[in-house]
Amino acid sequence: MTTFIDLGLNASVLSAISELGFENPTPIQEKSIPVFLENERDILGLAQTGTGKTAAFGLPLLQLVDFNAKQTQALIICPTRELCMQITRDLTTYSKHMQGVRIVSVYGGASINGQIEDLRRGAQIIVATPGRLIDLMSRRAVNIKTISYVVLDEADEMLNMGFREDIEGILSVTPDEKRVCLFSATMPKEIRSIANQYMKNPVEISVGKANSSNANISHEYASVHSKDKYAAFKRILDFNNDSFYGIIFCTTKHETQDISDKLIRDGYNADCLHGDLSQGQREKVMSRFRHKAIKILLATDVAARGIDVSDLTHVIHYNLPDDIENYTHRSGRTARAGKLGTSIALLNAREFYRLREIEKLIAIKFNRIMIPSAMEVRDKKLLAFIDTINSTEIEESFFDDVVVNHLKPILELDKEVLMKKMLSLELRRFSAEYMNGPDLNIQERGAGSGSSRGEGDSNETYGASRGTRLFVSIGQKDGLNVGSLKDFVSNVTEIPNANIYRVDVKGVYSFINVDAEQVEKVMTTLHGSDYKGRQVRVEVSGNESAGGRSRSGGGDRGGRSYGGGGDRGGRSYGGGGDRGGRSYGGGGDRGGRSYGGDRDGGSRGGYAGGGDRDGGSRGGYAGGGDRRRSEGARGGDSGFSGARRRTEGSGRRRDF
Ligand code: AMP
């Protein structure tokens, strides 16, 4: 495997990235860095955000720029202030062991005088949004005649935002002998035309196909009536409990605010990001989101550009983007740096045909998921609650004589009565909707035999659309997390790490997905192996055999959970046997009750997905608290305001 040393980077850069934990270069880094360092040629890079592009151009740039000289040598132009700040932050970190480095970022929405001051003090590298840079050039606050390197990052985004004229204006005053490096997630003909005009015989570097999407993203959609979108979205949230961490894309700022208000009213910790917020407000929202103080962020396309937050589990498209190329940008917010992510489009009947256009453009196939039924969400929450009780360590020091005395009235209760009382309390917290809410899925028009969807796809299970789902009998209690479980499985089975996906590590067990053809290998190697003295058991999750699962992909935990005989239930809840009957006092096989009827019990079962231990999630959602609204923020000191003024009526821009 190629290392950063092989790429020709120097010691100070190498030590900075090794401190960051970058072990190996990403594909775009592997391809770009040597060309950048050794070659005199321009670079035209096709890469999505999240692929490690910043380091791909940033690391060689830091090595090539002469920091003993004061003059500006490199210009990095990107679409938004968020991205500007991110790139500046990254370059500053990569150059922490270098002397004399001055990197200044300039973008709209902040005081221009402060930026002029910063520039006066000298900057070998300027990171800029196009509009602000033009302003600064016209005020003679920057001198880009000495530039040797120009990087255009997210070039397609800049064109979408109407910056073409500005970019051309900037490029036309830079020296002819500069090198240009252009990165774009898509390659529309306008980009080609810029490349033809301003780049000399560029080396073309591509990770993935043109307009392609990150392979670690699972693209899913659900069909619902417009009026049910909010309820459907809440079910996705509630079903995922505490693990949901994502961005919800809306078309207008009004919609982001409206949904965010509703979520807060309903007790969720959400916030929104749109063009009416002041820079300070945006930064506050972003900081809280980055630190997971809020895990649900509503955003417009423009406001979300440049957001670099790792670990997002979901991107939700409340509406599909007007410009379908934006789909790649949106979904690329998840599954960053090799992680996995899920992109879910909530579609009404009229939006369906646009999904097909996206499928064609990005050459992916969306899997239909079903919005969980009210009962399934309720059950998932209850299981999580029970799991939390079961896994809570008793803190003896809390139970002094006084407390024990207080407990007397309930200690005298029969165990089952006590349990039922506790569960009743918990159940009462669920809205009426989750006691008997309607099915929110709608029949899909055009999904019949003539469609690209195979028959039966409509029963694919939420959150379980690729590969074969396997139950593995080791988990958090064994000291494992997603990374270490993947490593262990990969070591034992010799299946590459990247081919083990949808890893879900629970208390005493985990789930993984592998491609159907790898199942046998896992069974013969991992099943029966030893992990820290525990024998590892592997089972195809649910009732189906591996072969039977190959079409729609795995993820059928529910057959196990609800179908009775669940070893998981037995282990987690200390009961053994069918958890349904025991835990809830009667009712026997829950599978029959909840999942009878029109749905395929197997695939629906996937929802049951075994109690993330997140009784605490409710705590997380509660409070709602400290949301600030955008009042007073109008009058827009948005970083986009400059660009917006210039491009009004351009037709491509919409209200954000
Ligand atoms: P970018 O595409 O530049 O926005 O990078 C996406 C994320 O990947 C950022 O959080 C980077 O810190 C991270 N990253 C970049 N290169 C590597 C690498 N070689 N190894 C691990 N993480 C990386």
Side-chain angles (χ1 to χ4, degrees):
M1 190 175 271
T2 314
T3 64
F4 280 109
I5 300 174
D6 300 333
L7 302 182
L9 292 169
N10 66 24
S12 47
V13 172
L14 287 172
S15 59
I17 55 177
S18 120
E19 283 161 29
L20 280 176
F22 292 9
E23 286 170 8
N24 295 101
T26 64
I28 189 75
Q29 292 163 0
E30 198 173 328
K31 290 180 178 173
S32 308
I33 295 174
V35 177
F36 216 124
L37 287 178
E38 291 163 16
N39 223 300
E40 293 296 303
R41 284 175 63 186
D42 290 349
I43 295 177
L44 181 60
L46 183 64
Q48 271 92 43
T49 129
T51 51
K53 204 159 39 72
T54 314
F57 64 76
L59 300 176
L61 208 54
L62 288 170
Q63 195 156 318
L64 292 167
V65 166
D66 177 5
F67 293 107
N68 294 316
K70 278 217 148 176
Q71 84 264 22
T72 304
Q73 298 158 61
L75 195 57
I76 300 166
I77 308 173
C78 62
T80 65
R81 76 176 145 212
E82 242 88 34
L83 192 54
C84 238
M85 293 193 292
Q86 179 69 42
I87 293 172
T88 309
R89 229 176 359 241
D90 287 352
L91 294 193
T92 307
T93 314
Y94 303 151
S95 61
K96 65 194 268 205
H97 298 302
M98 303 169 81
Q99 304 299 319
V101 178
R102 290 253 331 144
I103 305 166
V104 170
S105 53
V106 295
Y107 43 79
S111 145
I112 197 163
N113 292 332
Q115 293 175 354
I116 292 173
E117 257 322 290
D118 279 349
L119 291 168
R120 275 217 183 102
R121 274 184 250 126
Q124 298 102 344
I125 302 178
I126 297 177
V127 189
T129 51
R132 178 52 61 99
L133 185 62
I134 290 272
D135 281 356
L136 288 162
M137 282 161 62
S138 66
R139 293 169 192 234
R140 298 186 186 285
V142 275
N143 175 11
I144 59 171
K145 299 230 163 73
T146 51
I147 290 290
S148 306
Y149 305 95
V150 175
V151 177
L152 299 168
D153 194 18
E154 302 208 350
D156 52 348
E157 288 283 356
M158 293 199 275
L159 297 189
N160 282 343
M161 293 170 75
F163 283 134
R164 181 171 182 154
E165 235 175 76
D166 291 348
I167 291 170
E168 295 192 321
I170 295 163
L171 287 174
S172 62
V173 294
T174 50
D176 280 349
E177 59 279 12
K178 70 186 174 292
R179 283 176 74 191
V180 180
C181 176
L182 183 154
F183 283 102
S184 189
T186 58
M187 204 45 75
K189 45 183 193 315
E190 296 96 313
I191 298 280
R192 287 260 164 223
S193 120
I194 291 206
N196 289 340
Q197 208 174 335
Y198 296 98
M199 298 172 79
K200 291 182 284 283
N201 185 24
V203 177
E204 295 201 17
I205 292 174
S206 158
V207 288
K209 278 183 290 178
N211 298 330
S212 80
S213 172
N214 177 341
N216 284 341
I217 303 171
S218 181
H219 298 275
E220 301 173 348
Y221 75 98
S223 294
V224 294
H225 290 298
S226 291
K227 67 172 174 47
D228 291 332
K229 276 196 182 178
Y230 180 69
F233 170 51
K234 273 206 323 182
R235 285 196 193 173
I236 292 175
L237 279 181
D238 289 341
F239 192 77
N240 280 280
N241 280 314
D242 204 24
S243 63
F244 187 98
Y245 181 36
I247 303 181
I248 296 81
F249 283 94
C250 304
T251 317
T252 63
K253 58 191 169 195
H254 174 76
E255 194 173 39
T256 60
Q257 188 73 61
D258 185 46
I259 299 170
S260 160
D261 287 349
K262 273 199 214 151
L263 286 169
I264 290 162
R265 217 169 30 232
D266 289 344
Y268 298 85
N269 226 345
D271 212 332
C272 59
L273 204 60
H274 55 67
D276 273 357
L277 303 185
S278 70
Q279 191 190 348
Q281 287 173 320
R282 288 170 60 92
E283 278 168 17
K284 219 181 265 169
V285 174
M286 277 315 299
S287 160
R288 297 185 63 225
F289 187 55
R290 206 168 265 127
H291 294 105
K292 300 193 181 170
I294 42 171
K295 293 171 83 179
I296 307 168
L297 183 68
L298 287 298
T300 56
D301 283 296
V302 174
R305 278 183 191 142
I307 292 180
D308 175 29
V309 177
S310 314
D311 303 329
L312 293 188
T313 58
H314 286 81
V315 163
I316 307 281
H317 311 263
Y318 209 80
N319 310 101
L320 284 174
D322 291 345
D323 180 349
I324 55 179
E325 287 197 352
N326 265 340
Y327 179 83
T328 312
H329 291 291
R330 285 180 172 191
S331 54
R333 303 285 154 217
T334 184
R336 294 170 83 78
K339 304 210 174 80
L340 300 172
T342 305
S343 166
I344 305 177
L346 296 176
L347 303 180
N348 63 30
R350 283 189 314 281
E351 289 169 304
F352 186 68
Y353 78 98
R354 304 202 49 235
L355 196 78
R356 292 281 160 73
E357 293 177 7
I358 294 173
E359 284 188 328
K360 271 192 232 136
L361 181 80
I362 320 177
I364 51 157
K365 187 171 175 296
F366 283 85
N367 290 309
R368 182 175 185 187
I369 56 159
M370 306 300 281
I371 297 296
S373 72
M375 190 77 96
E376 285 159 344
V377 177
R378 190 202 67 176
D379 283 352
K380 180 90 191 275
K381 284 194 157 293
L382 261 184
L383 290 176
F385 177 64
I386 292 168
D387 204 13
T388 306
I389 294 177
N390 195 46
S391 61
T392 300
E393 302 281 338
I394 293 175
E395 190 60 65
E396 293 294 353
S397 62
F398 293 163
F399 297 93
D400 58 21
D401 290 350
V402 180
V403 175
V404 172
N405 212 26
H406 290 330
L407 282 179
K408 266 191 186 146
I410 55 169
L411 286 178
E412 283 157 14
L413 291 175
D414 174 80
K415 200 166 153 189
E416 190 173 319
V417 172
L418 176 61
M419 198 60 207
K420 281 184 175 171
K421 277 177 184 281
M422 283 180 69
L423 290 181
S424 300
L425 203 62
E426 186 65 10
L427 276 171
R428 235 180 259 146
R429 292 158 56 120
F430 302 142
S431 63
E433 192 201 327
Y434 286 150
M435 299 311 288
N436 54 11
D439 182 358
L440 299 179
N441 299 288
I442 55 173
Q443 194 72 29
E444 188 176 281
R445 258 189 272 159
S449 54
S451 89
S452 66
R453 249 151 271 289
E455 61 174 64
D457 273 6
S458 62
N459 275 336
E460 283 212 6
T461 305
Y462 172 72
S465 50
R466 287 188 306 167
T468 296
R469 193 76 167 151
L470 300 175
F471 165 90
V472 186
S473 66
I474 45 178
Q476 283 164 359
K477 286 270 165 70
D478 302 287
L480 287 163
N481 57 29
V482 172
S484 53
L485 178 64
K486 273 179 93 166
D487 288 347
F488 172 67
V489 174
S490 175
N491 276 341
V492 175
T493 60
E494 295 182 352
I495 295 173
N497 220 292
N499 295 355
I500 302 160
Y501 41 95
R502 291 201 163 277
V503 176
D504 203 358
V505 181
K506 307 289 183 191
V508 289
Y509 60 93
S510 305
F511 290 97
I512 59 171
N513 274 29
V514 295
D515 294 337
E517 53 277 15
Q518 305 275 23
V519 172
E520 202 180 323
K521 197 173 188 184
V522 177
M523 286 308 192
T524 51
T525 52
L526 188 63
H527 184 71
S529 66
D530 178 272
Y531 185 78
K532 294 189 177 166
R534 274 188 61 188
Q535 200 183 42
V536 180
R537 201 158 39 78
V538 184
E539 286 172 28
V540 174
S541 183
N543 300 324
E544 296 175 49
S545 68
R549 304 200 51 73
S550 58
R551 181 191 58 76
S552 67
D556 183 351
R557 316 169 201 170
R560 169 184 323 286
S561 310
Y562 292 120
D567 55 341
R568 192 179 132 263
R571 296 191 48 177
S572 304
Y573 306 113
D578 182 340
R579 173 161 41 91
R582 298 189 46 152
S583 306
Y584 299 107
D589 177 357
R590 295 163 54 68
R593 182 163 57 77
S594 310
Y595 301 101
D598 60 344
R599 295 204 187 116
D600 133 21
S603 71
R604 301 298 285 172
Y607 292 139
D612 315 279
R613 33 186 54 238
D614 62 344
S617 72
R618 235 172 305 280
Y621 288 145
D626 107 56
R627 173 186 60 100
R628 15 121 308 280
R629 300 186 45 120
S630 62
E631 279 118 49
R634 298 188 187 248
D637 66 346
S638 141
F640 311 114
S641 55
R644 204 166 37 186
R645 274 196 304 279
R646 262 187 298 284
T647 56
E648 257 159 28
S650 73
R652 292 205 79 168
R653 178 180 301 285
R654 65 174 167 277
D655 177 21
F656 56 90

